[in-house]
């Protein structure tokens, strides 16, 4: 995995309804305000995606930089969940074989627009949340 200078940054598809709801889910449970966010459509998001081999025009995964390393697909989701207060139990899901976890993740990722919809533009956070969004 490639190192990245910023830590605890979640890269997400900003026009994806499901992905934006995932970010809202994390925000509501991130009492420590540990995580910051960047839509893949932003200049910062594009650089981050390219650094980790994600096509910013056809993203098939979200990612999280944690501990200086990028975690993709199911590892990204479980890394974020397991670091939220009250969600530490999700660490046990790392024991499920990664190919199985990623297969389920990939089915949802491939069908996310069809199932959940797509925004015309990126999700716009409120003023308080904007402090935690990296875009440039």
């Amino acid at each position: 995995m490639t190192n990245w200078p910023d830590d605890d940054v979640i890269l997400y598809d900003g026009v994806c309804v499901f992905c934006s709801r995932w970010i809202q889910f994390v925000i509501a449970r991130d009492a420590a305000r540990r995580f910051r966010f960047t839509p893949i459509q932003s200049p910062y998001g594009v650089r981050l995606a390219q650094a980790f081999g994600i096509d910013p025009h056809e993203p098939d995964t979200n990612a999280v930089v944690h501990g200086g390393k990028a975690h993709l697909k199911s590892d990204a989701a479980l890394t974020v969940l397991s670091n939220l207060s009250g969600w530490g139990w999700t660490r046990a899901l790392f024991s499920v074989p990664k190919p199985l976890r990623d297969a389920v993740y990939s089915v949802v990722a491939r069908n996310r627009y069809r199932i959940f919809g797509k925004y015309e533009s990126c999700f716009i956070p409120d003023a308080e949340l904007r402090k935690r969004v990296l875009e440039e």
Side-chain angles (χ1 to χ4, degrees):
M1 288 185 211
T2 305
N3 287 328
W4 189 256
D6 295 320
D7 206 24
D8 292 329
V9 177
I10 299 172
L11 175 71
Y12 70 100
D13 182 352
V15 298
C16 168
V17 172
F18 180 74
C19 305
S20 295
R21 287 185 182 153
W22 161 244
I23 295 304
Q24 292 171 18
F25 174 91
V26 172
I27 291 164
R29 289 154 184 83
D30 185 15
R33 300 177 53 141
R34 162 186 227 148
F35 291 103
R36 293 175 296 156
F37 316 93
T38 187
I40 201 166
Q41 292 82 5
S42 71
Y44 182 94
V46 168
R47 288 192 311 275
L48 182 61
Q50 290 172 334
F52 297 121
I54 299 168
D55 180 351
H57 305 292
E58 294 291 330
D60 64 350
T61 182
N62 73 346
V64 64
V65 179
H66 179 72
K69 306 281 185 206
H71 303 274
L72 307 175
K73 297 193 178 197
S74 64
D75 284 345
L78 291 177
T79 297
V80 171
L81 285 171
S82 66
N83 281 283
L84 296 176
S85 179
W87 288 81
W89 61 269
T90 60
R91 284 182 188 88
L93 297 174
F94 280 111
S95 65
V96 174
K98 182 173 173 47
L100 178 60
R101 287 187 282 119
D102 281 351
V104 171
Y105 182 97
S106 292
V107 167
V108 173
R110 273 193 311 273
N111 295 291
R112 69 190 185 277
Y113 294 147
R114 186 171 52 78
I115 297 169
F116 300 101
K118 184 175 180 181
Y119 294 123
E120 291 297 317
S121 60
C122 287
F123 159 71
I124 306 293
D126 63 24
E128 181 62 26
L129 177 57
R130 296 247 1 120
K131 298 174 190 171
R132 296 170 62 190
V133 175
L134 303 171
E135 294 186 291
E136 299 303 319

